[in-house]
Every structure is written in structure tokens, then in C-alpha cells.
Amino acid sequence: MIDDENEETEPCGHTDRLALGFSSAISRIPLPFLGLAAYRAWLNVAFSKDIFGTGPAFFFSQNAFDLTLAVSMLACVLLARWLTPLHVRAWPRIACVGLLVFATLLGFIPLWGPSSGWLLLASTVVGGVGATLAILLWSELYGRLTPVRACLYYSASLAAAAGLSWMYEGFKIDWFPVMVPLLPLVSMAFLSQCYALVPAAEAREGTWVRFSFPWKPVLVIAVYSFVYGLMQSTFSSYMRPVMSLGTAACALTIVVAIAALGHRVSFEGLYGTVLPLMAAMFLLLATSGDLSIEGRNFCANWGRTSANVLITVMLASICYHWDVSAVWLFGIYEVVTTPAQLLGRVADGMLIQAGIGVAPLLVVALMFATLVFIRECRLSASWGIQVVLDQPASERARVVEERARLVRACSGLASSHGLSQREEEVLLLLAQHKSASEIGSELCVAHGTAKAHIRHVYQKLGIHSRGELFGLVGVDDADEKGGTAPTV
């Protein structure tokens, strides 16, 4: 038997289904998971050029901040074995809050008296180190979530960050020394609550296991970052990506898409096709001379947000399925992003001087990156990352290898029996001894929809029980609630 509960009745109308799906998706976003929005709003306010009317932002320069972030991330990548897991220690959160608050207060010195360039540069460096810790701490959380939840929570946080930034624009400048330091405090307080809310079935140990260098995801990250650097001269600096209307519109569209697709279409279609195509299309529109500067900003930030969501879900999915250290993988992401964007900006300046348009290079780069994505559009794809087998044998390494075997077994069955991408996701969760309720929760679909998917999987595989399914994928026929199949 698939389940002895009666299947839920869903509304018949398309509008009703969409409304139910959207409300269901929103209800699945606990408030603490929007804590990333507070950090992103802090980042936006800290780099605002109009807080003091004229002159620099809080920080001395964007390039100095980016360089500090890249150097700090590189140090964390090199020390990832000893830093993983980062969230179980108290000092990273305390240091993050302390550094960001201190950097913020240094940045407000122009309000109270003369300031020097060196003091603002110190604020930049301190803020960059604090931002490194904030990014890695939140990245570890996303690496513990199912890809659907990671996409939903991250997109909702981007939209919330835009709204929070707009709200801060309305504050009087005298309130800023009080209100801005609250943002990192709220972000880290929410982060602590998030770990208590992560379902036990989705939790990961986060311990260190060595993997080969992730050249495929790094290549995609480098291409998209280079393209964004190449594009930066096409839209004005006053429309900051964190609070841009294009960013908010894109993020909300993705949230709605997850709600709508949850009932009919696999989430992998959004991940493997829609997001990369949105990134390409909107970035190309941003080069159009027919659009106003506001229109180019809207399109450029929509395309950038699409790429950010895509890459975040890709890296979080790798961490979730393969137990790759988020400190290591997301750290590499940040290390690669900064120089790639810088090269893009340099290339853009050289092309402008030579009188060459950006669009042709943009098309080639985006097509190449999209083709790479199409080859690895499965959420469970390892992107060429493999467990390093020359390390001393350990129980953790064996668990990771068994997870990889289970993923390959389910993928093979899906291909040979004509399962859809969504049905393959369900098969993988069934192989982990998860119930229909747990599957519906992880995939952000209604309970009745999850049961329907389970029924289709059974029919296509020609089986009638969990025991037969466990035999096909090669796991122990353990009790459904207390099974010992490795969680992937």
C-alpha cells in the first residue's frame, strides 16, 4: 500500500489551485528564514551613496570591500577542514555581529565630525571580514535544506531585502546610527532560530569529507560573474541590485513559480531551464538601446537575480545531496566571483574604447553557460565532484559514498522506466524511507499531490510495496519510520 490515508481533494479551478499553491508556499516560509534579508539590507544601506547627500558611502570603496571579501573567503576555503561546521560554534556569529556593527559605527563618523580616508578604509576591511562570516553562516544553512526550500527561502529573502531597504530609505539620517546596526543583530538572531526549525529529515552533519575540485560549477559561476561585470556600465549606479525593482520582481516571480509549478511541473524544470533562460534573456534586454535607463536597470537586475538564485540553488543542492562543505564550496564561489567581475569590468572598458559592442560577447558567454547547465540540470547531479578516495577510510566517507550510490541507482531506474524528473525526486525520497507527508513537505506540494506522484512511481516501476522498491534500489527493507537508508 502506498498510504492508508485518503487523498486530499484539491480545488478544480486553475485560479483556485494557484491561490492554494501560493498561500501554501508562503506559509512554508517561517519568519526566521527571512533573516538573510536583514544582512542584505545592511549591505545595501552600508554602500548607499546618498545617505550623507554627497561623498562616499559608509565604506571607502566597493573595490576595497570586494578585495577584502575575496581574501577573507580564500582564507576560509584553505581552512575549511577546520572551520566545518561553522554554525555549531558560538564565536562566528558573535564575531560577525561585532565586526558588522563596528564597521557600521565607523562609517557614521562623518555625521559627528571630520573623518579620514584611512578610517573609512578600516571600516571597509572590518565590514568585509564580517560579511564573509555572514555569507558562510547563511550558506551552511542553505546547504542543509532541500533544493526546493533553498530556492523558496532565498528568493523570498531577496524580495524582503528590497522591501527592507526601501523602508530604511524613509528613515531620517539621525536614526541611522541606531537602526542600521540592528540589521546584523537581527540576521544572526534569526539564523540561530533557523537551525532549530530545520526538519530532522533534512539535517546534515556538516563534517569534513574531501572532494575533488568543483571545476564545473566554478566555470559556470565565472562565466555569469564575468558577464555581469561586462554589463555594469550599461545601467546606472544609483539603482542598487539589492533594492532594485527588477530584483524584487524577479524574486517574487520565482516564489509564485514554485507555488504554481508545485502542483503540475517538476521544480527541476525551473532550475534547469527557466532560470538560466531568464538570466540570458533579461541580461540581453539590458543591452537594448531602445530601453530607458530605468528599463535597462530593471532587466539587468532581473537577469542578475535569476543567475544568483540559480547558482545558490546549484551549490546548496550539491551540499545537500553530497555533503560537500558549504564553507568550502560557497567560499570558492565568492573567491571566483570577485576577480571574474573585475575582469568583466576591465573588458567592458577596453571594448568601449575600441568601439565594440558588448552584446555579441554576451550572447556567446551566456549560451555557453546555459549549455553547461542543461547537461547538469538534475538537482541530484554531482557536477563532476567526487569523493576523494585516497583519504583514510572513515564512517563519514562511507556514508557519503552510499548516498552517491543511492542517487545513481534511482537515476538509473528513472531513465529505464520513463519516470519524469519530479517522479525521480519522489523515488529518491521514497528510497530514504520518507512518508507521503514528508515528501510533500520537502517538495512544497500538497499532501494529495505527493500521494499521486508516489502512485505513479509505483505504477511505472511495476511494484506494489516499499519492500519491492527497496529491493530495486538496493537498500535494507527497514521499518518505514525507522529506516536506515542514508538520507540524500
Side-chain angles (χ1 to χ4, degrees), residues 87-331:
H87 69 275
V88 300
R89 303 175 176 93
W91 70 263
R93 285 190 288 272
I94 295 173
C96 176
V97 171
L99 290 169
L100 294 183
V101 170
F102 183 59
T104 304
L105 295 177
L106 285 177
F108 278 113
I109 287 179
L111 280 179
W112 305 314
S115 64
S116 68
W118 287 108
L119 195 59
L120 292 176
L121 180 60
S123 175
T124 302
V125 173
V126 172
V129 176
T132 298
L133 292 173
I135 292 170
L136 293 180
L137 284 165
W138 278 104
S139 297
E140 277 198 335
L141 176 69
Y142 281 105
R144 292 164 63 92
L145 302 174
T146 60
V148 178
R149 289 185 181 278
C151 186
L152 182 63
Y153 296 168
Y154 184 67
S155 300
S157 294
L158 295 182
L164 196 56
S165 298
W166 288 325
M167 184 184 74
Y168 265 71
E169 291 285 311
F171 287 135
K172 292 183 178 179
I173 189 63
D174 294 340
W175 281 93
F176 269 66
V178 176
M179 299 303 296
V180 177
L182 288 178
L183 292 172
L185 284 166
V186 170
S187 182
M188 289 298 105
F190 276 4
L191 179 70
S192 298
Q193 295 180 44
C194 287
Y195 279 100
L197 296 173
V198 174
E202 298 180 23
R204 290 294 178 271
E205 294 296 330
T207 52
W208 178 260
V209 176
R210 285 183 60 198
F211 287 85
S212 58
F213 185 77
W215 69 269
K216 282 188 177 182
V218 164
L219 181 62
V220 174
I221 291 165
V223 169
Y224 273 85
S225 299
F226 176 80
V227 168
Y228 186 67
L230 202 63
M231 294 281 301
Q232 284 188 337
S233 68
T234 67
F235 50 93
S236 65
S237 60
Y238 68 85
M239 287 287 282
R240 297 177 293 281
V242 173
M243 64 177 296
S244 165
L245 182 61
T247 298
C250 178
L252 287 175
T253 299
I254 294 171
V255 172
V256 173
I258 293 174
L261 296 178
H263 289 278
R264 296 294 176 188
V265 185
S266 170
F267 173 76
E268 291 193 345
L270 176 68
Y271 164 75
T273 305
V274 177
L275 282 174
L277 290 180
M278 278 204 311
M281 180 180 69
F282 279 95
L283 286 178
L284 283 173
L285 285 174
T287 65
S288 173
D290 297 330
L291 293 176
S292 64
I293 187 64
E294 291 80 9
R296 291 201 298 271
N297 269 281
F298 181 88
C299 292
N301 284 311
W302 185 303
R304 175 62 171 171
T305 302
S306 302
N308 275 342
V309 173
L310 182 65
I311 291 171
T312 298
V313 175
M314 173 185 69
L315 299 182
S317 181
I318 293 172
C319 294
Y320 178 80
H321 285 104
W322 302 91
D323 253 10
V324 176
S325 165
V327 173
W328 181 69
L329 190 58
F330 279 87

